Amino acid sequence: MNNQRRASITASNASIPRTIPTPPEQAFATESEPPVASFDDTLAPEPSNGAPVSPPTPTSLNGNDSNAAASQQNTQNHKALAPPTLNSLPHVSLGPAAHPSAHPSSLASALRALDNDPTSAAYCDFPAPSSNDSPYAKSISSTAPASPRIPPIRQNSGSQTPRVRPHATTLSIPGMTRSLVSPDGKIADRDVAAKLVIIMVGLPARGKSYITKKLRRYLSWQQHNTRIFNVGNRRRIHAVASPTKHRKESSMDMPAQPATILVNGAQAPIPDSPVQKKPSASDQDESPSMDQSAKFFDPNNEQASKIREEIAIDTLNELLDYLISGGGSVGILDATNSTIARRQKLFDHIKAREPKLGILYIESVCKNPDLLEANMRLKLSGPDYKDKDPVKSLADFKERVKAYESAYVPLGDYEEDHEMQYIKMTDVGKKLTHFGLGGFLSSGIAHYLSSFNLSPRQIWLTRHGQSVDNQKGKIGGNSELTDRGHFYSLALYRFVTQKRMEWLVEQKDKIAGSSFPPLPGDQSPPYPDLNRELDEKNFCVWTSMLMRSIQTAQHFEADEDYDVKNWEMLNELNAGKFEGLTYEEIARDHKDEYMRRKKDKLHYVYPGVGGEGYLQIISRLRDMVREMERIKDHVLIIGHRSICRVLMAYFMDLTRDDIADLDMPLGMLYAIEPKPYGIEFHAYKYDEDKGWFNEVPGYKPTRTVDRSA
C-alpha cells in the first residue's frame, strides 16, 4: 500500500471506513445517510517537502471536508453536533481496546500526536463517549434489563441425528464426579459402554473364586453396583429336564456374604437369603440328581458338554439382564471358560445382546505346586465334596482338573489378535500381565489385582483416645487428648504389643504341627507364605495428621520396634462450616442441613469450604486400601469415626446402607486377619478401670443408636 495517503475521501468509498467493518444495522442506512469520513485518512496527513508532520485535525462528522475553513468551522462547532456513536466513531477516540482490528498506522499517528501536543484537538476537542457507548458497558448491560435469560436448548451438533456414537467412558466416581445423566456420579444406565462384563478364565483350584469375591467387594465398596454370577452354583442344582430351573436361586452370589468370616475363631452364621436359598425337598424330587463326578467334566462327554454350555449361556443371560436393565455396572461370570471356543461364544453372545458393553477376561494361573496343592485341599470343604471321604474326594477332584487340562488353552495370542482385553494373574498376584485395557474400570481393576498377597498378617483398627472436643460433644477440630485419652493410648500400646507376641507364637506352633505339602484329610492347610520369616515381619502404626490421633500413638512412637507414620488421607471427615459445633447446635441453628444429613448421610456433603461426605472419604481412602492389601506387615490404624466406618465396611463387606450408620464408639479395637477363604475377625472393648481390653464374644457390626453421630 502507498505510504502517502489522501486527506479526503472519494465518493466511491466514503460510505465504508477502511479499517472498520460495516455493522449489520448500517447496511441499509448507507443509502440515505451522507458519507462519513474515516479517521484513518485524517490522522495520517501527507508530509510536505520533508517538513515535520503536524498533529492531525479531525474532519467534520458530516463528511464535508472540501476546504480547510469548513473543517475548522466544523471543529469549532462540534459541540452542536450529535454525539458520535460506536458505528460512526473510529477506534482512536476509544483506544485500541475498543477496536482490536485498528490499523497500526492510524494508532501510531494518534500516539505521536499525543506525545507532541497533549492539548491538540485530537486529544481534547473530541467529547468523551458516554458510558452507554462503551463496549464494556454494552457487553454487560442489556437493552432489555427485565428480559429473562433463555438457557441453551439441548441439541446435537454432530453430523448424525440421533447420535449413534457411544458416549465417552471417562472416570466415574460417586461423590467425586457428576453429570446431567448421572447426578450421583455412578455409571449412568445410558453409558452402557462404561459398564463391564468380567469373564473369569482358569483351571479349577486356581483361586478364581477368591479373586472374584475380593473384586466384587472392592468395586461395591467403591459404589459400583457389582455382582458375581457363578456357573458352578447353577450347575450344582441344575435339573436335566429344565435347564432354566432355579435360575434366580443359584447363579448369583449376593454381596451380603461373599466370603467366609470367622468371628472369634468360629464361622459366623450365614443369614438366610431368598436369593441364596437352597432348593426344597419337593424341588429335588422333581428331577434326578446329576452326576457331578470327574466324568461330567470330560470334554469327550458330548451330553455333559452340551448341558454345561447351556448352563453357562443361561447364567450369562442373567448377568446381561443385570447390566442392561437391572442397574448394574459390573457383572462377573465365574467359571473355567478354559477353551477358545467357549470364550469366543461368550464374547459373541454378549455383543449380540449389547455391542457397546465392555468385556474383560481375567485368568488366574498357578505355577507354584505347593500353592496349588493347598488350593486343592481347600476344595474338599466346598459344596461338591462337603461331608464326603476326603481321600476319595481329593482323587476325584484331581481327575476333574486333568479333564479340564486336556482342552485348556490359556489367554494369549488369540485374544491379542482379536483385540480382546485381558488380565493374567500368576500365583495370586506374584505376576500380572495385561493387554489392551480400555476404560477406567479395567485399569482400576488391574491396579487393584496387583496388590494381592496371601501373607499372614494382622490389621488392627481403632479410634483415637478421648479428646477435649469429644468431651464437649463438638465435631471436627484438632483438639488434644484428655487424661482419659492418654490412659487409653498407653493401654492400647501394651495390649497390641502382647497380642503381637501371642500371634507369633501361634503361627510358629501351626508350622511345627503341620506338614507341607498337606497330608490327605487336611481341609484348611497352611499356605506357603506361612513358612517365611515371621520374626522379620514389621508392625506399622498409621495415624492421621490430627493431634488426637498422633497423641494416641505416642507410646508406639517411643518404641523402635514400631514404624509410625502420619497420613493426611486418614484425617476425619471435614464438617465445613460446622466444624467445632455440636449436633444439637446444628439441629437448632441449621435445621434444613440437619434434616438433609439425617435423610441420606452417605451422600450428604457438609456445606462450607472443605466440607466432605462419606463418598469423599471412600474416594480418598482408595489408595490406602490398596496399600493395606499390598503390604505383608502388620498394621494398626488409629483413625476417626468416619475413617473406621469406611475401612470396616470394606473388610467386613458391608452394604452401602450400613457405612454411614455403623456403630463405631470410642474404646473399641478390631483385629482383622486375612485368610485365603475370607477373614478372621476379633473385637475387643476397653476396660477403663483395669486399663486393658476384653474380647467381645460373637461381636457383629451394628447400626449406631445415636442417629446424629
Side-chain angles (χ1 to χ4, degrees):
M1 181 176 180
N2 198 326
N3 291 330
Q4 294 183 349
R5 312 198 37 202
R6 293 175 298 172
S8 62
I9 308 287
T10 61
S12 61
N13 62 5
S15 61
I16 303 176
R18 184 178 57 82
T19 61
I20 303 178
T22 302
E25 59 268 26
Q26 289 187 346
F28 299 99
T30 55
E31 297 180 3
S32 58
E33 295 179 3
V36 179
S38 170
F39 270 74
D40 290 322
D41 297 329
T42 60
L43 293 179
E46 292 181 354
S48 176
N49 299 326
V53 179
S54 60
T57 302
T59 61
S60 64
L61 295 179
N62 61 6
N64 184 10
D65 57 351
S66 58
N67 52 67
S71 176
Q72 293 174 1
Q73 181 181 359
N74 287 332
T75 303
Q76 295 172 357
N77 299 327
H78 67 274
K79 295 181 180 180
L81 299 176
T85 64
L86 283 175
N87 293 331
S88 62
L89 190 63
H91 49 272
V92 177
S93 62
L94 296 179
H99 200 292
S101 61
H103 196 276
S105 63
S106 61
L107 294 177
S109 300
L111 292 174
R112 284 196 300 271
L114 295 177
D115 291 337
N116 295 334
D117 186 7
T119 62
S120 65
Y123 183 80
C124 300
D125 290 344
F126 238 74
S130 65
S131 60
N132 291 334
D133 289 332
S134 169
Y136 303 105
K138 283 184 174 294
S139 65
I140 298 174
S141 61
S142 172
T143 57
S147 300
R149 293 190 180 273
I150 302 176
I153 300 175
R154 188 169 177 83
Q155 58 184 344
N156 186 358
S157 61
S159 60
Q160 294 175 322
T161 304
R163 173 173 175 166
V164 296
R165 183 177 68 256
H167 292 272
T169 58
T170 53
L171 185 66
S172 292
I173 304 177
M176 302 298 290
T177 62
R178 64 185 176 196
S179 63
L180 186 63
V181 297
S182 177
D184 57 2
K186 297 179 181 178
I187 298 176
D189 291 337
R190 181 201 70 178
D191 297 336
V192 180
K195 299 184 178 184
L196 189 64
V197 178
I198 298 177
I199 301 177
M200 298 302 298
V201 177
L203 295 171
R206 263 60 179 182
K208 294 188 301 298
S209 294
Y210 170 78
I211 294 171
T212 59
K213 290 171 183 176
K214 294 201 68 169
L215 259 184
R216 192 215 56 76
R217 183 182 74 180
Y218 176 74
L219 293 173
S220 296
W221 178 73
Q222 288 286 298
Q223 307 303 301
H224 298 302
N225 295 332
T226 307
R227 288 182 184 172
I228 301 171
F229 296 83
N230 191 290
V231 177
N233 287 351
R234 184 185 296 274
R235 167 184 57 78
R236 292 182 186 100
I237 62 172
H238 176 77
V240 178
S242 178
T244 59
K245 187 175 180 62
H246 306 306
R247 174 179 180 178
K248 297 295 183 183
E249 291 83 354
S250 58
S251 63
M252 186 172 64
D253 287 354
M254 291 299 291
Q257 189 67 24
T260 302
I261 298 178
L262 296 185
V263 179
N264 302 325
Q267 182 170 344
I270 301 175
D272 294 335
S273 170
V275 181
Q276 293 178 315
K277 66 179 183 180
K278 297 181 180 180
S280 62
S282 60
D283 292 335
Q284 294 176 345
D285 293 341
E286 290 178 7
S287 57
S289 300
M290 182 191 306
D291 179 19
Q292 304 255 343
S293 65
K295 296 179 181 179
F296 180 78
F297 302 94
D298 188 346
N300 297 321
N301 188 337
E302 296 182 1
Q303 181 180 1
S305 297
K306 183 178 180 180
I307 293 174
R308 286 187 284 114
E309 193 165 292
E310 289 178 352
I311 297 173
I313 294 299
D314 193 41
T315 307
L316 179 60
N317 282 330
E318 187 180 350
L319 183 154
L320 295 177
D321 291 341
Y322 169 68
L323 293 184
I324 297 172
S325 58
S329 298
V330 180
I332 306 175
L333 186 67
D334 188 7
T336 55
N337 302 314
S338 56
T339 66
I340 292 177
R342 166 65 68 82
R343 297 196 290 267
Q344 185 64 58
K345 185 169 184 176
L346 297 175
F347 186 93
D348 295 340
H349 188 83
I350 295 170
K351 292 301 181 181
R353 281 282 306 270
E354 178 49 75
K356 299 176 185 177
L357 277 174
I359 302 175
L360 172 66
Y361 294 104
I362 298 180
E363 181 180 18
S364 181
V365 179
C366 188
K367 295 184 177 180
N368 186 329
D370 294 337
L371 182 60
L372 180 59
E373 183 72 18
N375 283 341
M376 288 186 175
R377 303 285 177 173
L378 284 177
K379 284 289 185 179
L380 302 183
S381 58
D384 286 339
Y385 299 106
K386 191 174 183 179
D387 300 327
K388 295 182 180 179
D389 180 80
V391 177
K392 293 182 179 179
S393 296
L394 182 60
D396 180 80
F397 182 75
K398 290 185 176 181
E399 288 297 322
R400 180 194 298 188
V401 173
K402 288 182 180 180
Y404 276 109
E405 286 178 336
S406 63
Y408 172 59
V409 179
L411 297 174
D413 294 340
Y414 181 85
E415 284 72 22
E416 295 180 11
D417 293 341
H418 292 79
E419 295 295 328
M420 298 177 179
Q421 60 176 345
Y422 70 81
I423 299 174
K424 180 180 290 190
M425 289 184 66
T426 303
D427 292 339
V428 196
K430 291 292 182 63
K431 179 180 178 182
L432 193 75
T433 58
H434 54 77
F435 170 81
L437 297 185
F440 67 92
L441 282 177
S442 298
S443 301
I445 288 171
H447 191 181
Y448 177 67
L449 294 179
S450 65
S451 64
F452 279 21
N453 79 84
L454 294 174
S455 178
R457 64 196 187 279
Q458 286 186 316
I459 299 172
W460 295 85
L461 189 64
T462 187
R463 287 180 64 184
H464 53 80
Q466 185 193 60
S467 68
V468 175
D469 283 342
N470 290 144
Q471 201 173 33
K472 297 178 180 179
K474 296 182 178 181
I475 63 175
N478 191 22
S479 61
E480 297 186 350
L481 294 181
T482 62
D483 290 340
R484 296 176 64 187
H486 283 289
F487 283 127
Y488 179 82
S489 68
L490 178 59
L492 179 66
Y493 166 73
R494 291 174 175 174
F495 182 79
V496 170
T497 300
Q498 178 171 321
K499 285 296 180 180
R500 178 185 180 185
M501 293 186 293
E502 291 178 0
W503 182 88
L504 182 61
V505 173
E506 181 183 349
Q507 299 304 311
K508 291 183 175 181
D509 289 343
K510 285 184 178 180
I511 294 176
S514 63
S515 60
F516 209 92
L519 297 174
D522 290 343
Q523 295 188 356
S524 298
Y527 267 64
D529 282 334
L530 191 61
N531 295 315
R532 305 289 165 83
E533 298 81 359
L534 296 175
D535 290 325
E536 297 182 4
K537 193 174 290 293
N538 294 315
F539 201 113
C540 303
V541 179
W542 295 346
T543 77
S544 72
M545 289 193 173
L546 299 178
M547 187 63 65
R548 55 191 181 275
S549 176
I550 296 175
Q551 288 182 343
T552 306
Q554 58 188 325
H555 297 284
F556 295 99
E557 184 78 76
D559 189 340
E560 292 184 355
D561 205 26
Y562 289 93
D563 299 306
V564 181
K565 182 177 291 187
N566 312 130
W567 297 71
E568 187 175 6
M569 63 180 68
L570 289 177
N571 283 0
E572 175 65 295
L573 184 150
N574 192 312
K577 69 177 185 179
F578 294 159
E579 285 274 316
L581 300 181
T582 66
Y583 287 115
E584 291 75 14
E585 291 172 338
I586 297 174
R588 183 190 65 221
D589 302 333
H590 308 275
K591 187 175 181 180
D592 292 342
E593 290 292 336
Y594 181 82
M595 295 306 297
R596 283 182 55 212
R597 179 178 180 272
K598 184 177 181 180
K599 184 178 179 180
D600 187 3
K601 288 174 64 176
L602 180 63
H603 295 89
Y604 177 80
V605 178
Y606 278 101
V609 177
E612 293 180 303
Y614 276 93
L615 293 180
Q616 285 73 33
I617 299 298
I618 292 173
S619 179
R620 66 167 149 105
L621 286 180
R622 181 173 57 247
D623 291 337
M624 171 68 66
V625 165
R626 291 174 178 171
E627 181 68 4
M628 293 170 69
E629 292 282 6
R630 183 193 67 81
I631 64 173
K632 298 181 179 181
D633 298 318
H634 303 297
V635 60
L636 165 65
I637 293 180
I638 302 176
H640 307 268
R641 176 156 47 197
S642 64
I643 299 298
C644 292
R645 279 174 169 170
V646 170
L647 292 177
M648 181 72 79
Y650 170 75
F651 286 106
M652 298 297 292
D653 196 19
L654 303 178
T655 65
R656 62 170 57 102
D657 296 330
D658 298 328
I659 295 176
D661 290 320
L662 185 63
D663 189 30
M664 194 62 59
L666 294 174
M668 288 298 298
L669 176 63
Y670 308 97
I672 301 169
E673 192 170 345
K675 300 285 186 180
Y677 47 81
I679 64 171
E680 185 173 330
F681 177 77
H682 297 267
Y684 304 91
K685 187 175 182 179
Y686 175 55
D687 187 338
E688 191 170 8
D689 294 333
K690 297 180 180 179
W692 200 246
F693 290 82
N694 300 318
E695 185 164 359
V696 181
Y699 179 88
K700 295 181 181 178
T702 58
R703 286 175 174 264
T704 181
V705 178
D706 183 5
R707 300 293 293 174
S708 298

